[in-house]
Amino acid sequence: MDKYTAQLIAHFKEIVPLDEHDIKAIIPKLEIKELDKKDYLLQPGQVSRHMRFIAKGSLHSYYTDDAGREHTMQLGVENWWINDLYSYLSESASRMYIQAVEDTTLVQIHKNNLELLYKEVPKISEFWRLKMQGAYLILQERTFENMRFDAYTRYKTFITNYPDIEQRFPQYMIASYLGITIEYLSALRK
């Protein structure tokens, strides 16, 4: 088992117990994908067919509006998952870009293989149930914060919750993620 696969198995084990039989069923269904900085993992029009675990590096997902402005939906670093979940679940064309910010290594599971794992290793189904619940809570909290709090409070919450991320992403991505201009972010940082 390579180090990236071991990293994902350890991530699974943080949430659900896995025995050797489970691990032997999981490993053949995993794929390693390497991206260079600025490579696209997904672009509008493509269908997302994998769940993707970031083993090394960082990515961001975004869409562009009619005026050509980028709107960051998600930032992702090691031990996080990134995807266009709408495209993945509905099997429809993505409306988003997912792009590597740094050289990145992913461990991914094709949708068909994940469906097989749900039957072979029911603990993986439990893992995803718990992961999706957690992701929904985070999304709901982010939406609530964007409606209720001012930009300064959102920025402080962001750097408190994710202290190491600010150094890894360009300011314009963080500003976009927070729903503010880069100029306003610079003023907040002072």
Side-chain angles (χ1 to χ4, degrees):
M1 176 173 10
D2 67 79
K3 69 179 183 177
Y4 300 122
T5 301
Q7 185 178 342
L8 175 57
I9 297 297
H11 178 72
F12 284 145
K13 286 180 166 183
E14 289 172 5
I15 297 175
V16 294
L18 296 175
D19 59 32
E20 286 305 310
H21 181 266
D22 298 332
I23 293 167
K24 286 181 181 175
I26 293 168
I27 290 175
K29 294 179 176 54
L30 304 177
E31 306 166 29
I32 304 294
K33 182 161 183 76
E34 303 275 345
L35 296 171
D36 292 329
K37 181 179 179 176
K38 296 190 177 186
D39 281 353
Y40 287 97
L41 178 62
L42 187 69
Q43 296 186 57
Q46 297 175 327
V47 176
S48 179
R49 300 194 191 284
H50 296 84
M51 292 302 288
R52 298 171 173 109
F53 175 77
I54 305 169
K56 182 186 85 161
S58 62
L59 297 106
H60 77 121
S61 67
Y62 65 94
Y63 73 93
T64 55
D65 63 22
D66 292 339
R69 290 183 299 263
E70 285 185 18
H71 299 274
T72 299
M73 302 293 294
Q74 185 182 0
L75 303 171
V77 294
E78 290 85 6
N79 296 316
W80 291 12
W81 295 83
I82 195 162
N83 202 357
D84 178 344
L85 202 52
Y86 182 85
S87 173
Y88 178 84
L89 293 173
S90 68
E91 297 183 359
S92 61
S94 177
R95 298 171 284 185
M96 296 193 319
Y97 295 91
I98 300 178
Q99 185 179 31
V101 177
E102 303 169 334
D103 290 347
T104 299
T105 302
L106 301 156
V107 183
Q108 57 185 23
I109 308 170
H110 192 278
K111 188 174 186 174
N112 295 340
N113 283 331
L114 189 53
E115 293 294 329
L116 290 172
L117 277 178
Y118 290 156
K119 293 178 182 117
E120 291 176 40
V121 184
K123 293 172 207 163
I124 293 300
S125 181
E126 176 72 359
F127 171 86
W128 279 110
R129 183 184 66 79
L130 295 169
K131 259 320 202 191
M132 292 299 175
Q133 287 176 351
Y136 184 77
L137 291 175
I138 291 168
L139 176 63
Q140 188 171 2
E141 186 62 23
R142 181 177 172 207
T143 302
F144 180 71
E145 285 181 6
N146 284 341
M147 292 187 304
R148 184 167 179 235
F149 298 120
D150 62 24
Y152 179 73
T153 304
R154 292 194 316 265
Y155 173 68
K156 291 301 281 179
T157 300
F158 176 78
I159 62 173
T160 299
N161 291 342
Y162 310 109
D164 301 326
I165 287 185
E166 189 174 21
Q167 310 312 315
R168 296 185 62 187
F169 291 90
Q171 280 192 10
Y172 79 91
M173 287 181 197
I174 293 169
S176 174
Y177 180 80
L178 294 171
I180 59 178
T181 65
I182 192 167
E183 295 81 15
Y184 195 59
L185 176 62
S186 293
L188 291 176
R189 293 178 80 193
K190 292 179 186 173

